[in-house]
Amino acid sequence: MKEFDYRRATDVRTATTLLAENPDARFLGGGTNLVDLMKTGVENPPQLVDVRRLPLDAIEVTDDGGLRIGATATNSDVANHPEVRRRFPALAQAVLAGASGQLRNVATVGGNLLQRTRCGYFADVTQPCNKRVPGSGCPAIEGEHYNHAIFDWSEHCAATSPSDMAVALAAFDAVVSYETADGPGELSYSDFHRPVGEHPEQEIALPAGALITGITLPGAALAARSRYRKVRERASYAFANGSIAAALDVRDGVVDDVRIAFGAVANRPWRAHAAERALLGRAATAEEFGAAADAELSAAKPLPHNGYKVPLIRNIVVSVLTEITEEATR
């Protein structure tokens, strides 16, 4: 690891000012991703600005029945909070599926949103990678891509977002609050990740030097019956091969409202808008759930060795939506 300067921010203004003065610096929360990347040489920031002790860890119910979650709240805080479990159970389940208890105790919500991809080529500084060295190429396209994207990848990158928590945030229209040296701002989570395109190194749409201060989940009655399901290759903590965050409101056997997002299929959590549109007003049956999944997956472009993700995602859509429906009718 290369030498770096360390500063501990005492308030938000100090943190954003330090980044404005040194654009190559990085904010440090729990460090569960950034420090690992520094050890392998993927990240080499000249300065770390520690924001962990900033008073941004509150989890509060909003006036519309949603939640406001502070950026320095730990993953354990989120997973164990009674209002998170009651109002957005899929979010609590996603966090619990994402990492061990030891990591959840230190990893922060803000840091979770900024996780870099876990592609092996990205993590290996001896290999080319357009995210790490723009213009060097993407060996995953012709090489190892078993767990890479099936949606919206390009010849420049086929890596996937590793976050479980982010899938639930995408399903429920989260809004990210941030602060820069010029003042506060907000960004819809649907706009948080940039498209891969020709510049996969440009991952996040936040302004330069922005410090994430919190996440707001708008109130949504159907979220109280939500679920998160993660498929992985071993029962212990591992990154997803495919996942889903979903909620369903069924009235008289017909879908009145629905939210669906997939994980491990694109460079960002994938909101399944086509599947949602296909389900509205339709019977809440396994047949209709499968047809809705097919409507979304018709746009998938699997690589030669990750086509298994298409039936995998279809199966978990049918399984999870069927479970939610059956539970609601008991």
Side-chain angles (χ1 to χ4, degrees):
M1 184 183 293
K2 296 183 179 180
E3 291 186 358
F4 58 89
D5 182 41
Y6 171 86
R7 303 289 182 91
R8 178 176 292 167
T10 55
D11 52 51
V12 170
R13 175 57 62 185
T14 299
T16 56
T17 298
L18 286 169
L19 260 288
E21 293 172 349
N22 189 350
D24 292 327
R26 295 286 189 276
F27 290 124
L28 177 68
T32 56
N33 184 212
L34 176 59
V35 173
D36 281 348
L37 295 176
M38 291 172 65
K39 289 178 179 178
T40 59
V42 173
E43 291 266 13
N44 294 293
Q47 182 181 84
L48 294 182
V49 179
D50 191 338
V51 297
R52 179 65 183 273
R53 298 190 183 185
L54 297 182
L56 300 171
D57 60 348
I59 300 176
E60 303 167 321
V61 178
T62 58
D63 291 342
D64 69 349
L67 290 175
R68 160 82 182 185
I69 302 172
T72 61
T74 67
N75 286 6
S76 289
D77 292 338
V78 174
N80 296 321
H81 198 282
E83 293 297 339
V84 176
R85 289 173 175 259
R86 184 166 75 90
R87 297 171 187 271
F88 295 90
L91 176 57
Q93 294 163 12
V95 173
L96 290 171
S100 67
Q102 294 92 331
L103 289 175
R104 291 198 302 271
N105 287 340
V106 294
T108 62
V109 167
N112 194 299
L113 297 188
L114 298 174
Q115 281 188 87
R116 306 295 301 276
T117 179
R118 300 302 174 123
C119 172
Y121 296 106
F122 170 77
D124 185 351
V125 295
T126 69
Q127 297 289 328
C129 172
N130 286 323
K131 276 185 178 290
R132 188 166 25 80
V133 183
S136 62
C138 178
I141 301 297
E142 300 294 333
E144 174 55 55
H145 53 247
Y146 176 77
N147 204 22
H148 282 58
I150 60 172
F151 287 111
D152 206 33
W153 55 272
S154 80
E155 62 182 289
H156 302 282
C157 183
T160 57
S161 167
S163 174
D164 292 281
M165 183 186 79
V167 183
L169 298 180
F172 299 113
D173 301 313
V175 176
V176 179
S177 299
Y178 63 85
E179 189 91 22
T180 70
D182 296 325
E186 289 186 341
L187 182 65
S188 168
Y189 195 62
S190 61
D191 299 322
F192 186 80
H193 298 271
R194 295 183 185 274
V196 176
E198 296 182 358
H199 294 283
E201 78 280 6
Q202 299 176 7
E203 299 175 351
I204 304 299
L206 286 172
L211 172 67
I212 296 173
T213 55
I215 300 165
T216 301
L217 288 163
L222 80 167
R225 295 182 297 278
S226 62
R227 291 195 180 192
Y228 181 76
R229 178 69 49 78
K230 177 179 181 176
V231 177
R232 50 194 169 190
E233 293 182 347
R234 61 179 189 269
S236 61
Y237 295 101
F239 296 107
N241 298 99
S243 65
I244 181 175
L248 198 64
D249 183 14
V250 178
R251 301 188 182 187
D252 298 323
V254 174
V255 177
D256 187 63
D257 197 4
V258 59
R259 308 289 177 85
I260 303 172
F262 303 146
V265 296
N267 74 311
R268 61 191 183 280
W270 187 262
R271 182 68 179 268
H273 289 295
E276 292 175 351
R277 289 192 297 267
L279 274 176
L280 286 174
R282 308 294 294 185
T285 64
E287 181 179 6
E288 293 290 352
F289 298 153
D294 292 338
E296 190 70 43
L297 291 164
S298 65
K301 299 185 299 179
L303 289 153
H305 304 299
N306 69 353
Y308 73 93
K309 289 194 175 189
V310 173
L312 185 153
I313 293 295
R314 187 187 195 277
N315 288 342
I316 60 176
V317 168
V318 174
S319 174
V320 169
L321 295 184
T322 298
E323 289 178 11
I324 295 173
T325 302
E326 291 176 347
E327 185 178 89
T329 57
R330 287 174 189 164

